[in-house]
Amino acid sequence: MRWLNALLLGTVLSLLTGGVAVHSLFPAVQWIHSPLHVFLETLGAFTALMAAALLTLLKVYERIPARYIWVVAALAGMGVLDGFHALSQELQRFVWLHSLAMLLGGLMASLIWLPESIARRAVVYRLPLVVMLMGIVIGSAALHYGPLWSMLDDQGRFSASAIWINVLGGGLFLATAVYFLLEKRHLPIQDSPIFFSHYLLLGTSGLMFPLSMLWDGAWWYWHLLRFAAYALVFLYLFLLSRSEERQLFMLNTELEARVKLRTHQLKTELKERKTIEKMLKHQATHDPLTGLFNRNELERRINDDIARSIRYQHPLSIFMVDIDHFKEINDRYGHANGDRVLRSIAFELERSLRKTDYVARYGGEEFLVVLPETPVTMAVELGERLLRQVANHRANLGDDSVSLTISIGVASYPETAKAWHELLDTADGAMYQAKKDGRNCLRIAQSLVS
């Protein structure tokens, strides 16, 4: 930043000393070129208005202090009046419009010395627009009616009114330059040298006005100073806007990356939550040892199935299944191997059932099999097949294996009973009868239906 400030200061000093040199070396040389003057003034007006627009944009996004509203107003007013100045061909109006631009711009710029609280008032935000409209009215009136005072004497020299208006405007610009020189501690570090140089150039152009005549070297030179002042601020604000745009792009890219990352995290969390919910649901409805339905889920399902059977008069059967001599297996081989036996029987029960059937661990070594749409005769056939399948199966218990048998009690709706608890009780009684009859057999529950 120091080398940039040094380069800027060197350029401004060169421009200022150049004006003295031009006035000293070419005091009476005149070069009349109206199209070039119109081009410079039009370009200057456009540059001033664009700088005002960029400053307004930066102010909207609060990237610059509130007091810069006075800078915006100065640029807006000067840009409008310089545009009318470029359109004017009559010399009195020509000088009058330029002088008003200097005075209005200097007056607006010098208001930066006012307290920050004034600049923050809502009514002040409309000031640039008001100044632009005022410039349009003044410029239109000047083109139609002419200046209020004479700007040139009979010899074509600038009148006292023109000189004092420009000197006053130049003095106000220099006062503004002093503000940026003294208040740089309270302003963005890169702004102070830019706006100090901007107002120093404008102020110097105003003070050079009395030393010039129409179309002479000094006259062209202070036009150059004004244009350089506009271009300096415009270029700086353009680069600053590009920098802000790049920062916003980088911020947007970073935010998009964060959103993408967070979206991925949320999807992962949602997936994990669904997995946990599925696991919890499974734990709530299944026996942790065998993986079969637990008693709560069994009762929920069987109540639905019995209600459906009653509504549509369809048959339903159940098996109460108990592992024979299970206590002896636990006592001889240990509870860990007893658990293996339970899992083995659960596997045999599940693989022997149809897709519409389901099995649950009812408690201890007891299992309950539900056979929807199955009458008692078909249930008996399925039960006998299940007895043979289990009897032919051997459970692996470490280095040993054992043969297993089961006892089955069968109950059916509507042959045996018409309520769930009645079906359960009768199936349980039939299962105990099978055990009394020697185990590894099936017994049908006695009917409770009269």
Side-chain angles (χ1 to χ4, degrees):
M1 183 60 66
R2 289 183 178 179
W3 68 267
L4 180 61
N5 291 342
L7 178 61
L8 179 62
L9 182 60
T11 303
V12 172
L13 291 176
S14 298
L15 288 171
L16 297 179
T17 55
V20 177
V22 168
H23 179 68
S24 302
L25 298 175
F26 309 102
V29 176
Q30 289 185 315
W31 182 45
I32 301 174
H33 199 295
S34 182
L36 177 60
H37 175 264
V38 171
F39 172 76
L40 285 176
E41 290 294 342
T42 303
L43 185 60
F46 173 78
T47 306
L49 292 173
M50 288 300 297
L54 289 175
L55 273 172
T56 302
L57 183 64
L58 291 172
K59 190 175 182 303
V60 167
Y61 289 103
E62 298 183 350
R63 308 300 296 179
I64 57 175
R67 63 175 67 246
Y68 278 42
I69 192 71
W70 312 117
V71 178
V72 177
L75 287 167
M78 292 184 70
V80 170
L81 289 175
D82 279 347
F84 279 101
H85 168 65
L87 295 175
S88 175
Q89 297 297 321
E90 200 277 321
L91 294 181
Q92 292 284 352
R93 295 188 181 92
F94 180 85
V95 179
W96 171 246
L97 287 166
H98 163 76
S99 302
L100 288 180
M102 284 293 295
L103 182 60
L104 179 61
L107 180 61
M108 289 294 104
S110 64
L111 294 177
I112 202 167
W113 284 96
L114 293 175
E116 181 84 5
S117 58
I118 296 179
R120 292 185 179 277
R121 294 179 181 176
V123 67
V124 178
Y125 287 176
R126 302 182 181 89
L127 181 64
L129 180 60
V130 173
V131 172
M132 286 185 66
L133 293 175
M134 186 169 62
I136 293 172
V137 171
I138 293 173
S140 301
L143 290 179
H144 186 73
Y145 298 108
L148 295 178
W149 303 290
S150 176
M151 295 287 104
L152 296 169
D153 60 18
D154 296 337
Q155 286 77 35
R157 297 186 182 89
F158 297 126
S159 67
S161 299
I163 291 173
W164 282 111
I165 291 175
N166 281 272
V167 170
L168 178 58
L172 291 171
F173 280 128
L174 290 178
T176 309
V178 171
Y179 171 83
F180 281 97
L181 181 65
L182 297 178
E183 297 294 321
K184 59 183 179 180
R185 292 174 299 175
H186 307 293
L187 298 171
I189 189 170
Q190 68 273 25
D191 286 4
S192 296
I194 297 294
F195 285 100
F196 168 76
S197 302
H198 169 71
Y199 288 116
L200 182 61
L201 290 172
L202 288 176
T204 304
S205 71
L207 296 182
M208 283 189 65
F209 184 85
L211 305 177
S212 65
M213 294 180 58
L214 286 174
W215 310 109
D216 70 355
W219 185 84
W220 282 106
Y221 200 83
W222 60 251
H223 275 79
L224 177 62
L225 294 182
R226 280 165 51 84
F227 178 75
Y230 291 151
L232 175 66
V233 171
F234 175 74
L235 179 61
Y236 166 67
L237 293 176
F238 175 76
L239 295 176
L240 183 61
S241 300
R242 291 294 302 274
S243 175
E244 292 291 330
E245 183 181 350
R246 286 193 296 270
Q247 291 182 16
L248 287 174
F249 175 78
M250 293 174 62
L251 179 60
N252 184 61
T253 303
E254 182 181 354
L255 288 175
E256 287 180 352
R258 289 184 180 181
V259 169
K260 186 176 181 181
L261 176 61
R262 185 54 183 158
T263 301
H264 176 72
Q265 291 175 343
L266 289 175
K267 286 183 178 178
T268 303
E269 291 174 5
L270 182 60
K271 186 176 180 181
E272 292 175 353
R273 182 176 296 177
K274 287 183 177 179
T275 302
I276 293 173
E277 288 176 353
K278 186 176 180 181
M279 181 181 66
L280 291 174
K281 184 178 180 180
H282 186 273
Q283 291 176 351
T285 57
H286 289 73
D287 174 60
L289 178 62
T290 62
L292 301 176
F293 288 130
N294 59 23
R295 191 162 178 169
N296 290 334
E297 182 65 10
L298 167 70
E299 292 183 356
R300 187 188 69 81
R301 285 174 173 263
I302 193 68
N303 283 324
D304 291 342
D305 285 332
I306 290 178
R308 192 178 300 110
S309 296
I310 294 173
R311 181 182 304 167
Y312 299 109
Q313 293 299 303
H314 291 172
L316 179 143
S317 298
I318 63 171
F319 293 161
M320 180 66 78
V321 179
D322 187 83
I323 302 174
D324 297 331
H325 305 295
F326 183 73
K327 185 177 183 303
E328 296 177 8
I329 294 174
N330 266 339
D331 294 341
R332 181 177 179 182
Y333 295 100
H335 288 281
N337 284 319
D339 290 345
R340 291 192 179 95
V341 169
L342 289 171
R343 286 193 291 268
S344 178
I345 293 297
F347 174 76
E348 290 300 319
L349 290 174
E350 274 200 309
R351 78 186 187 95
S352 66
L353 298 178
R354 303 165 300 180
K355 290 183 178 181
T356 56
D357 306 335
Y358 54 92
V359 59
R361 185 182 179 190
Y362 192 73
E365 68 272 23
E366 293 182 342
F367 301 88
L368 193 91
V369 180
V370 182
L371 310 169
E373 306 288 338
T374 305
V376 64
T377 53
M378 185 180 295
V380 170
E381 293 178 4
L382 292 173
E384 290 177 346
R385 187 177 68 186
L386 180 60
L387 286 171
R388 293 190 297 270
Q389 186 172 321
V390 172
N392 293 328
H393 172 72
R394 294 184 67 84
N396 293 320
L397 304 179
D399 297 332
D400 200 359
S401 64
V402 295
S403 295
L404 302 171
T405 60
I406 57 176
S407 298
I408 301 176
V410 181
S412 297
Y413 170 87
E415 292 92 340
T416 305
K418 293 186 177 181
W420 157 234
H421 68 277
E422 293 176 347
L423 278 175
L424 182 63
D425 290 343
T426 55
D428 192 53
M431 182 268 293
Y432 278 105
Q433 186 61 46
K435 283 187 173 294
K436 288 180 181 180
D437 292 345
R439 297 182 173 84
N440 191 25
C441 63
L442 175 150
R443 293 292 180 265
I444 301 173
Q446 294 182 358
S447 176
L448 299 179
V449 180
S450 57

